[in-house]
């Protein structure tokens, strides 16, 4: 198992639609292991495979309290097959949009079909945080982020901030010439 890098906006891979898992084999079990390790290390309460760059419909989750025993959950090919008319609002965050939190309104309860790690079909009725988190993760599998559910003004502000940060991180990287040779850095001098 390994802790994998979490993709941060504006990484375009976060907008990809993930492919259904065809067979739950050793590679899927290894992916799930890496996802739990990455999610617990972050720490986060849920993770979609695309957040570590793997475009397969796999979600890990653990909603147990910090001082309680872990409750790891895996959802393969999850599908929302029903949603309540009643809505609820939750302050959401996302490991791919670090340190930004905003209220999101979603159906208060959902019915979700999925496969477990044994490939067995399951169906659950979720409400509260589980319902919110399942909707947030299924959104990821469809290339949708929680900021798509907030106002355009707020979304544009967040995107701008993260685009600027990505640009700076890139310009701060030494280029290959500088890595290979002993000459002065070619930019940001003087
Ligand atoms: O860790 C996470 N917390 C969270 C809080 C409110 C609603 C959804 C979430 S999921 C998030 C981890 C994450 O980015 N999953 O995709
Ligand atoms: Ni997220």
């Amino acid at each position: 198992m390994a802790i994998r890098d979490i993709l941060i906006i504006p990484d375009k891979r976060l907008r990809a639609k993930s492919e259904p898992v065809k067979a739950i084999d050793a590679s899927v079990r290894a992916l799930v292991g890496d996802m739990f390790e990455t999610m617990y290390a972050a720490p986060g309460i849920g993770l979609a495979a695309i957040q570590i760059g793997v475009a397969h419909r796999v979600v890990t989750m653990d909603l147990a309290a910090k001082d309680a025993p872990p409750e790891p959950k895996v959802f393969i090919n999850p599908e929302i097959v029903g949603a309540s008319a009643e809505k609820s609002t939750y302050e959401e965050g996302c490991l791919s949009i670090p340190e930004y939190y905003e209220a999101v309104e979603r159906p208060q309860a959902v019915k979700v079909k999925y496969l477990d790690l044994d490939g067995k079909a399951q169906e659950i009725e979720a409400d509260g945080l589980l319902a919110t988190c399942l909707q947030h993760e299924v959104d990821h599998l469809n290339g949708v982020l929680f900021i798509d559910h907030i106002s355009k003004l707020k979304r544009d502000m967040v995107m701008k901030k993260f685009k600027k940060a990505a640009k700076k991180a890139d310009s701060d990287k030494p280029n290959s010439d500088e890595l290979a040779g002993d000459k002065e850095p070619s930019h940001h001098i003087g």
Side-chain angles (χ1 to χ4, degrees):
M1 291 215 298
I3 295 175
R4 310 265 290 261
D5 287 341
I6 294 175
L7 306 185
I8 305 298
I9 58 165
D11 194 307
K12 287 189 167 55
R13 289 170 288 180
L14 291 167
R15 293 310 191 170
K17 187 172 161 79
S18 295
E19 293 295 329
V21 170
K22 288 203 182 101
I24 299 164
D25 55 15
S27 74
V28 172
R29 286 188 288 274
L31 169 65
V32 166
D34 283 0
M35 288 175 64
F36 275 117
E37 203 177 342
T38 304
M39 183 184 87
Y40 286 128
I45 59 174
L47 192 74
I50 193 61
Q51 293 181 276
I52 59 167
V54 178
H56 290 150
R57 302 183 83 82
V58 177
V59 166
T60 56
M61 203 178 288
D62 191 330
L63 304 181
K66 276 193 195 77
D67 50 359
E71 290 173 26
K73 299 178 199 290
V74 180
F75 303 91
I76 296 170
N77 300 342
E79 263 185 87
I80 294 170
V81 294
S84 62
E86 190 189 338
K87 307 288 195 246
S88 75
T89 299
Y90 202 93
E91 189 89 354
E92 297 196 19
C94 182
L95 294 171
S96 296
I97 313 171
E99 290 167 60
Y100 180 74
Y101 304 89
E102 193 54 67
V104 176
E105 187 188 73
R106 300 181 186 269
Q108 191 272 336
V110 287
K111 190 190 276 191
V112 178
K113 280 187 180 173
Y114 64 98
L115 300 178
D116 65 20
L117 256 191
D118 299 320
K120 189 169 177 254
Q122 302 282 354
E123 188 171 297
I124 51 164
E125 288 190 28
D127 62 9
L129 180 58
L130 178 58
T132 293
C133 205
L134 279 165
Q135 292 173 78
H136 177 117
E137 302 310 342
V138 171
D139 269 357
H140 273 302
L141 304 181
N142 295 325
V144 174
L145 300 168
F146 85 87
I147 52 172
D148 299 338
H149 298 291
I150 67 179
S151 76
K152 176 167 161 45
L153 182 70
K154 284 177 179 166
R155 180 169 59 255
D156 287 350
M157 276 171 27
V158 178
M159 286 307 302
K160 188 177 168 189
K161 181 184 150 190
F162 278 89
K163 278 178 183 163
K164 191 174 166 189
K167 204 172 164 185
K168 182 177 186 318
D170 191 56
S171 76
D172 283 352
K173 247 186 306 193
N175 67 32
S176 51
D177 285 341
E178 290 154 17
L179 280 173
D182 54 9
K183 59 184 162 55
E184 289 291 297
S186 58
H187 59 346
H188 289 323
I189 296 297

